[in-house]
């Protein structure tokens, strides 16, 4: 098994192969994901979108090694995802900021560096640099309760980047903030990501968000979750805030919406 | 914690302005007035407010010595109870089998009237202050155990998932996440349990034949001479001990935990 140290050494990024996962007791088990195949190559930003209950979060949690698949395999860089997790190569951003309320902003971002020290990490930027890049330079010593929801989410993003993970897995990280904040968060995320372009799998239920962020939008069909469509987004990077209203974005968004409509109607 | 946390906590006075204090003082005055009215007409049922205070003023050394003895019992008993309860709560939160094994015993200890155990403790442990420490500890143990356990389990599941995604070890999760999460619950537990430990210490002084000290002992000896002013003077001292302990806890909590809730 090859241990890949950076971008481009191995062809394989994140690979989910014929993955199935169900929850609940036997007999009354609910199939969350069935026969799911998904490949995300190195340096790619992929958004996962689908109607609610389609297993988006389950896919992300499988990719993070937080739950294990009933069958099929989940690999990161050619190795089992459990190993990648042990090596601290996964940057996970949950739906809520999940900040430690007794720590200030800076110490929250340092948290991933303090645990599982056995794993070698190679962050390209210090926590301070990341927080500065996300516009949080003035609040390093503040505590989470003193920050707005958008600021808390920025801290969570800085925390995910802080230890230089090979992959970022984000579970609707902007779902709890207002639309204006959301728009600026997208572009801040992109500008932080732009620097070293790690593999990102980003779950969202916003079509506009998916199109502006992603190299590829993957549409999941519900019950059980399967890949229904893969829509490439061939827009130049870096992507700016002005792009949000461009006709290219609208064209791709239309395509994603019709794919979403197809899976929603198909399931009813 | 950084220096800023203390600054913020210190800037807020315990009572914000007179608006907070005045209603409490008025209520206290009304109660004292009614008390005095009853006491003047029934001197054998209630001592007058003045007689209670003059008793305190006559022998401040006596009350201080007995208050010190009771406080020592409270401190030793509560410290032992908190330490034991916390260690057991950690074991319970880490290993469910420990909870299944120990919790029924803890519940049984909690529902057993402590007054019933006290005489046995005197026989077992002798005429020292030890039975009083033990009684104070028994009373304070269970509520603190429950609070500590709830606190250790109060962690946001998303935070635990984040730790899991980093493959943080159990010890790291305990030390860096569960313990700090439980801190507000430990303070809440202490606010319940310190006054309970005072009750335990006084009950033990009343029921065990240990050293002839403590406010409970003072009450008992005053009872034998029908000295109501002295009894109520001792009760007043006990009430003040409870108030002071609570205020100290609130201040400590402010300094250590307040920052989490933000400034608003």
């Amino acid at each position: 098994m090859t241990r890949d140290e950076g971008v481009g050494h191995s062809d394989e990024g994140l690979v989910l192969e014929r993955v199935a996962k169900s929850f609940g007791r036997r007999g009354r088990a609910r199939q969350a994901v069935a026969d799911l195949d998904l490949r995300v190559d190195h340096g790619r930003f992929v958004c996962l979108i689908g109607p609610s209950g389609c297993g988006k979060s389950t896919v992300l949690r499988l990719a993070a090694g937080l739950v294990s698949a009933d069958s099929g395999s989940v690999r990161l860089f050619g190795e089992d995802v459990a190993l990648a997790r042990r090596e601290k190569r996964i940057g996970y951003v949950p739906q809520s900021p999940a900040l430690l309320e007794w720590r200030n902003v800076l110490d929250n971002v340092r948290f991933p560096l303090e645990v599982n020290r056995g794993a070698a990490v190679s962050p390209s930027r210090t926590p301070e640099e990341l927080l500065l890049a996300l516009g949080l330079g003035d609040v390093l010593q503040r505590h989470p309760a003193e920050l707005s929801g958008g600021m808390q989410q920025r801290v969570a993003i800085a925390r995910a980047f802080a230890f230089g993970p090979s992959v970022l897995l984000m579970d609707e990280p902007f779902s709890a903030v207002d639309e204006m904040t959301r728009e600026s968060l997208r572009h801040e995320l992109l500008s932080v990501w732009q620097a070293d372009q790690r593999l990102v799998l980003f779950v969202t239920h916003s079509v506009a968000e998916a199109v502006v962020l992603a190299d590829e939008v993957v549409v999941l069909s519900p019950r059980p979750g399967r890949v229904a469509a893969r829509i490439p987004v061939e827009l130049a990077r870096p992507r700016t805030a002005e792009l949000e209203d461009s006709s290219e974005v609208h064209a791709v968004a239309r395509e994603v919406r019709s794919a979403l409509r197809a899976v929603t109607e198909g399931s009813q | 914690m950084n220096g800023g946390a203390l600054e913020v906590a210190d800037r807020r006075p315990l009572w914000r302005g007179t608006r907070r204090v005045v209603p409490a003082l008025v209520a206290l005055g009304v109660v004292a007035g009614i008390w005095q009215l009853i006491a003047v007409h029934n001197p054998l049922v209630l001592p007058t407010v003045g007689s209670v205070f003059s008793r305190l003023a006559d022998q401040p050394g006596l009350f201080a010595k007995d208050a010190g003895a009771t406080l020592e019992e409270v401190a030793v008993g509560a410290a032992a109870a908190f330490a034991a309860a916390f260690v057991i709560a950690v074991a319970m939160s880490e290993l469910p089998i420990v909870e299944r094994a120990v919790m029924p015993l803890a519940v049984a200890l909690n529902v057993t009237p402590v007054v019933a155990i006290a005489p046995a403790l005197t026989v077992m442990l002798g005429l020292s202050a030890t039975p009083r420490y033990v009684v104070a500890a028994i009373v304070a143990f269970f509520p603190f155990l429950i609070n500590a356990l709830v606190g250790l389990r109060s962690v946001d599941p998303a935070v635990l998932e984040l730790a899991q995604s980093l493959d943080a070890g159990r010890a790291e999760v305990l030390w860096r996440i569960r313990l700090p999460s439980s801190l507000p619950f430990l303070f809440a537990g202490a606010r319940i349990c310190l006054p309970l430990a005072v009750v335990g210490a006084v009950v033990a002084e009343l029921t065990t034949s240990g050293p002839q000290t403590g406010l409970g002992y003072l009450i008992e000896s005053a009872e034998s001479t029908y000295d109501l002013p002295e009894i109520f003077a001792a009760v007043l001292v006990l009430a003040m001990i409870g108030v002071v302990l609570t205020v100290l806890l609130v201040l400590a909590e402010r300094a250590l935990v307040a920052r989490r809730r933000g400034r608003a």
Side-chain angles (χ1 to χ4, degrees):
Chain A
M1 203 164 279
T2 54
R3 170 74 204 265
D4 162 64
E5 286 301 339
V7 178
H9 290 208
S10 154
D11 329 335
E12 248 190 46
L14 168 66
V15 178
L16 284 83
E17 219 167 50
R18 309 192 60 179
V19 168
K21 178 72 189 173
S22 52
F23 293 103
R25 290 170 194 282
R26 214 170 293 188
R28 284 201 305 174
R30 191 176 56 82
Q31 191 85 26
V33 169
D35 204 23
L36 181 123
D37 284 296
L38 181 67
R39 271 186 81 106
V40 183
D41 291 338
H42 269 300
R44 300 273 284 175
F45 198 129
V46 170
C47 280
L48 209 53
I49 196 167
S52 42
C54 71
K56 301 186 290 272
S57 287
T58 304
V59 172
L60 200 80
R61 292 154 59 82
L62 283 161
L66 294 172
V67 293
S68 51
D70 296 339
S71 63
S73 75
V74 182
R75 296 191 304 276
L76 264 173
F77 319 110
E79 62 183 30
D80 189 76
V81 67
L83 194 60
R85 192 170 62 88
R86 244 167 279 152
E87 291 169 349
K88 209 153 83 168
R89 307 182 70 182
I90 300 170
Y92 176 66
V93 182
Q95 236 177 71
S96 66
L99 301 177
L100 306 178
E101 58 186 13
W102 56 91
R103 287 179 172 228
N104 64 28
V105 165
L106 187 57
D107 289 340
N108 261 290
V109 175
R110 283 178 179 150
F111 175 76
L113 300 165
E114 294 171 11
V115 296
N116 184 11
R117 282 168 182 268
V121 295
S122 50
S124 52
R125 277 164 291 180
T126 65
E128 288 89 341
E129 285 167 352
L130 281 164
L131 286 165
L132 214 61
L134 286 161
L136 296 170
D138 295 334
V139 296
L140 299 184
Q141 306 298 328
R142 294 275 188 88
H143 280 63
E146 300 169 275
L147 305 180
S148 68
M151 287 166 110
Q152 292 187 12
Q153 209 49 262
R154 287 184 182 92
V155 178
I157 290 168
R159 179 183 57 194
F161 279 92
F163 58 107
S166 324
V167 21
L168 287 150
L169 303 171
M170 307 193 173
D171 191 1
E172 301 191 31
F174 306 151
S175 59
V177 295
D178 61 271
E179 186 56 35
M180 292 295 289
T181 312
R182 203 169 168 143
E183 212 177 290
S184 53
L185 277 171
R186 275 174 215 161
H187 293 281
E188 284 167 32
L189 170 63
L190 279 178
S191 74
V192 173
W193 173 78
Q194 195 73 36
D196 40 23
Q197 303 205 358
R198 299 297 165 102
L199 187 166
V200 179
L201 186 59
F202 187 104
V203 169
T204 178
H205 52 228
S206 155
V207 173
E209 190 164 279
V211 173
V212 168
L213 289 174
D215 296 313
E216 180 179 51
V217 179
V218 172
V219 179
L220 283 193
S221 68
R223 281 174 283 272
R226 278 198 186 87
V227 175
R230 308 177 55 157
I231 297 153
V233 185
E234 277 147 5
L235 299 170
R237 290 192 191 273
R239 294 179 187 167
T240 56
E242 291 75 55
L243 197 76
E244 298 256 351
D245 294 317
S246 71
S247 56
E248 296 102 305
V249 163
H250 287 306
V252 185
R254 255 196 306 280
E255 209 179 328
V256 174
R257 267 193 205 98
S258 76
L260 266 174
R261 220 168 299 139
V263 300
T264 320
E265 280 159 13
S267 73
Q268 280 165 357
Chain B
M1 291 287 154
N2 56 37
L6 285 170
E7 282 165 30
V8 171
D10 288 346
R11 229 176 283 146
R12 282 157 48 178
L14 197 54
W15 290 286
R16 256 166 274 168
T18 46
R19 272 193 206 171
R20 281 245 176 144
V21 192
V22 169
L25 288 179
V26 169
L28 190 67
V30 169
V31 171
I34 295 171
W35 177 297
Q36 186 70 4
L37 209 65
I38 299 171
V40 169
H41 296 288
N42 309 278
L44 293 179
V45 178
L46 267 188
T48 59
V49 176
S51 70
V52 172
F53 278 98
S54 71
R55 189 59 57 95
L56 268 180
D58 287 348
Q59 301 169 288
L62 175 74
F63 287 100
K65 183 180 72 90
D66 285 316
T70 301
L71 264 178
E72 187 200 307
E73 291 156 20
V74 169
V76 174
F82 290 177
F86 184 69
V87 169
I88 292 170
V90 169
M92 282 179 170
S93 79
E94 291 296 306
L95 303 165
I97 193 171
V98 174
E99 183 179 3
R100 285 198 292 276
V102 179
M103 194 52 99
L105 288 174
V107 171
L109 182 67
N110 184 49
V111 296
T112 307
V114 72
V115 188
I117 313 174
L121 289 171
T122 313
V123 177
M124 289 155 65
L125 302 168
L127 294 175
S128 64
T130 315
R132 297 177 180 176
Y133 299 150
V134 175
V135 171
I138 287 174
V139 186
F141 173 77
F142 190 76
F144 197 81
L145 174 72
I146 297 298
N147 268 275
L149 194 57
V150 170
L152 290 165
R153 289 187 174 150
S154 70
V155 183
D156 175 2
V159 169
L160 289 180
E161 273 194 355
L162 173 80
Q164 196 193 343
S165 78
L166 297 163
D167 201 42
R170 276 186 90 138
E172 287 174 324
V173 170
L174 177 65
W175 180 248
R176 294 180 191 277
I177 298 175
R178 288 194 190 279
L179 291 190
S181 287
S182 73
L183 199 59
F185 292 82
L186 300 184
F187 273 108
R191 278 179 72 172
I192 297 167
C193 293
L194 267 185
L196 281 180
V198 177
V199 174
V202 173
V203 165
E205 287 162 359
L206 290 168
T207 53
T208 65
S209 8
Q212 304 190 333
T213 52
L215 291 166
Y217 175 79
L218 186 68
I219 289 170
E220 207 190 3
S221 61
E223 186 195 358
S224 62
T225 57
Y226 303 101
D227 191 347
L228 263 186
E230 183 153 301
I231 291 177
F232 274 103
V235 169
L236 191 64
V237 174
L238 282 169
M240 289 192 301
I241 286 175
V243 169
V244 168
L245 288 177
T246 304
V247 168
L248 289 177
L249 271 174
V250 171
L251 288 176
E253 188 178 2
R254 285 258 170 94
L256 287 169
V257 186
R259 193 70 190 271
R260 296 180 186 189
R261 299 192 191 107
R263 257 181 272 223

